[in-house]
Amino acid sequence: MKKFVLLFVLSLVLVARISAQEDTTKTTAEDLKAKIDELKGQVEGLNESYLETKATVDALKKIKLSGYIQAQFQSAELDGISSFSGGNFAAGLHNRFTIRRGRLKVAYDNDITNYVLQIDATEKGLGLKDAYVSFKEPWLKSFGLKAGVFDRPFGFEISYSSSSREAPERSRMYQTLFPGERDLGVSFEYAPYVPYEDFLGYFNFRGGFFAGNGVSVEVDNQKDFIGRLGFSLPFYEENLAIDGGVSMYVGGVKLAAGKSIFTVNNPTLASADTKTTYADRNYLGLDMQVYYALPLLGNFTLRGEYISGKQPGGSASSSSSPTALQTGDLYLRNFSGYYLNYVQNLGDKNQLVVKYDVYDPNTDVEGDQIGALAAAKLGAGDIKYSTLGIGLVHYWDDNIKFVFYYDSVSNETSSKLAALNSDLRDNVFTFRIQYKF
Amino acid sequence: MKKIILLLVIATMAFGFTYDNKVITVKGSDTMVILAQRWAEKYMESHPGITIQVTGGGSGIGLAALINGSTDIANASRPMKPSEREKLKQRYNSLGVEVKTAKDGLSVYLNEKNSVKELSIQQIKDIYTGKITNWKDVGGKDAKIIVYGRENSSGTYVYFKDNVLGGQDFTSTMQSMPGTSAVVNAIVKDANSIGFGGAAYAKGIKFAAVKKDATSKAYIPTEENIKSGNYPITRYLYLYLKTRPSGEMKDYIDWILSAEGQSIVTKVGYFPVR
């Protein structure tokens, strides 16, 4: 009987324990399910939060901020020289610190539509560089339109960013013909959106109508046409690229009432025209860039441009393109100019730069003919210049680069011009630090 | 003038050359990341003095790194864009060196339960641009199509957009995944989904047979169909370098194109170019 009771009690205990275990198992499974549901909810919440964040980030990614600062020290041969190496030196100064460029660019890139605003802030003040809208048609994505203030579509050197350019400044020819590089207007662009290595993809065109005064207010009713037909030929197997283009400028500069257009192409007498309303401003340009790798030395590029045409200057002492309404006589000259620029990589971090540029503002006269006779109306604005620049660029990291550069400037001389009867001492050394982001 | 030239020479010597050939960094295409890792592992076994560091991120990220100098090799599952070439030219005076390392059939993934077996290029385009949103419109059951794709830094995304969608934008309902594996995982779980990516990633899903147009024969991305050109969406997988390779870099590239390197291409699931 005792055994039976003991067995009964043990059975009860066992049943109770099994039941308790079942309860515990049940509770554990329920707990787990609850925890999984909770985690699932948290993951879904996180996923929703991620999608919201992603949408915000995607929207913010369209806003692009970039810029660069070029701080530099320059030393010239003499005090107060005129220079195209970053502007004239002030009277009494032959060395200087300057912020050559302090750019900040904001762009909103919505794939086929774009907004761009760029300013230049230096110790000299604040200036507008770019302010334009651009868009591409959504079907072929090959045709685009741009309106506002932006780079003139002419040649290579204008559109080659100052932050990327190895030599500190553009050639004298470009600084004279296109001061400030930009202009106010509208341009049409054709850049075929075609499959990889499609023949059509090697060509492009940009051209449009501009005010013709640079980044200044409009001063006349005539619009200038500027355009470039370009090509870019890649030879992948040879690691060779040949780019180039043909550019054209067809425009004019308005003559003030009662003033004359002097065609200064004769060493004895300049012809005067008082009837024509606009003096011709016509250029034709050719440019080419070759990229190749030399055995042992590595990659190099050789760039060259040639421009010739008619240029109306505002005085006998200057052939620069006008940037405001002209109130005096105009001096119409046939000009030509070119540059050759060789850049040799020295490893990944260094580049050797050699640049030679020539600008002859008046190809019809030379030497002592300039300034000989008052009736010829020839002066300092007709003197030919050549510049040999040599330098080294060092890329410290992705953002910083150093430029050491020396410009050796030679000028045509005329015994009839007191200030230009010998080669001027106007060479300039530049040391520049650039930060770009 | 002499002083200036002397100064330039001294400056050049002072800055020196910092290129280190012993460590090769590789960055870019997620499609190629497994392939690049296999190459690196195998090559380092037989070349203990060389370290090859491989990371993904997408073709666009790799090419951007090549341009800013933070990688030696960029992996890309699409050709370099003209804008990227321009940047490379500006900084390195180089068009960049393009090496075709493998061929891939850009595959269209379907869930194994999906009754649809084949799609024309036009149907794929319509699905991915949002014109077709239901499987019944392409011969399947009445169910909404769940569209998966890649992020825009991906070379696969760009290649698909340019060559299948003809440059048109992806539908706004497409869910962008961070890598091809993520696309595949999503399709494994979702019976009504569609995705695209490299042929080497097809685990637990099925390929849609693809036909050039409604009347042509459909093909799946097998080696035979890709080599013969029958499969209509094929692409190369590229390596890009800043300049012509030399030293250890050249040895590595040559090895990738050798029989041993190309055998790894096959093992990973792509198709050799040699």
Side-chain angles (χ1 to χ4, degrees), chain A residues 301-351:
Chain A
T301 180
L302 180 63
R303 307 183 188 113
E305 289 198 62
Y306 173 82
I307 307 174
S308 73
K310 285 183 188 299
Q311 168 75 342
S315 73
S317 60
S318 170
S319 65
S320 282
S321 295
T323 54
L325 184 64
Q326 295 301 287
T327 55
D329 297 323
L330 294 174
Y331 292 71
L332 192 60
R333 303 175 175 94
N334 293 315
F335 75 91
S336 74
Y338 67 90
Y339 75 81
L340 290 169
N341 187 187
Y342 180 80
V343 183
Q344 176 65 57
N345 286 6
L346 304 169
D348 270 3
K349 297 280 186 184
N350 302 299
Q351 289 177 324

Side-chain angles (χ1 to χ4, degrees), chain B residues 3-15:
Chain B
K3 281 181 184 172
I4 298 298
I5 291 170
L6 186 65
L7 186 69
L8 293 176
V9 171
I10 290 168
T12 308
M13 291 169 70
F15 285 123

Side-chain angles (χ1 to χ4, degrees), chain A residues 378-412:
Chain A
L378 300 169
D382 299 281
I383 292 292
K384 177 180 176 180
Y385 283 85
S386 63
T387 306
L388 175 65
I390 181 166
L392 177 79
V393 181
H394 175 73
Y395 296 86
W396 181 263
D397 59 19
D398 296 350
N399 304 111
I400 293 179
K401 76 172 180 182
F402 299 99
V403 180
F404 304 86
Y405 201 81
Y406 189 79
D407 268 326
S408 176
V409 186
S410 302
N411 56 273
E412 183 180 22

Side-chain angles (χ1 to χ4, degrees), chain A residues 352-394:
Chain A
L352 176 72
V353 188
V354 182
K355 187 174 181 180
Y356 182 67
D357 79 67
V358 173
Y359 177 59
D360 185 354
N362 193 337
T363 53
D364 296 309
V365 295
E366 61 182 6
D368 287 350
Q369 291 175 337
I370 301 166
L373 296 166
K377 295 194 175 294
L378 300 169
D382 299 281
I383 292 292
K384 177 180 176 180
Y385 283 85
S386 63
T387 306
L388 175 65
I390 181 166
L392 177 79
V393 181
H394 175 73

Side-chain angles (χ1 to χ4, degrees), chain A residues 58-126:
Chain A
D58 285 346
L60 287 172
K61 268 166 73 178
K62 293 178 179 177
I63 301 170
K64 289 173 180 169
L65 198 64
S66 61
Y68 59 95
I69 288 174
Q70 295 174 340
Q72 65 187 29
F73 172 79
Q74 291 185 296
S75 178
E77 282 187 292
L78 289 176
D79 285 349
I81 62 158
S82 296
S83 176
F84 279 71
S85 304
N88 298 340
F89 281 71
L93 292 186
H94 65 267
N95 65 52
R96 64 187 177 193
F97 284 112
T98 55
I99 305 293
R100 180 64 185 94
R101 296 174 180 89
R103 302 287 173 84
L104 185 64
K105 186 176 182 178
V106 183
Y108 186 82
D109 183 352
N110 201 12
D111 196 17
I112 57 171
T113 59
N114 286 277
Y115 158 102
V116 175
L117 182 68
Q118 184 178 201
I119 55 166
D120 186 35
T122 70
E123 76 276 19
K124 298 176 193 77
L126 198 65

Side-chain angles (χ1 to χ4, degrees), chain A residues 221-266:
Chain A
N221 289 319
Q222 180 171 301
K223 304 294 171 268
D224 296 356
F225 170 81
I226 311 174
R228 177 178 185 266
L229 179 64
F231 64 87
S232 183
L233 303 176
F235 300 92
Y236 299 113
E237 296 292 321
E238 293 79 15
N239 191 19
L240 166 71
I242 302 174
D243 300 352
V246 181
S247 304
M248 185 176 272
Y249 192 115
V250 182
V253 175
K254 191 179 183 185
L255 181 67
K259 297 296 177 182
S260 302
I261 298 170
F262 292 112
T263 302
V264 286
N265 60 358
N266 187 310

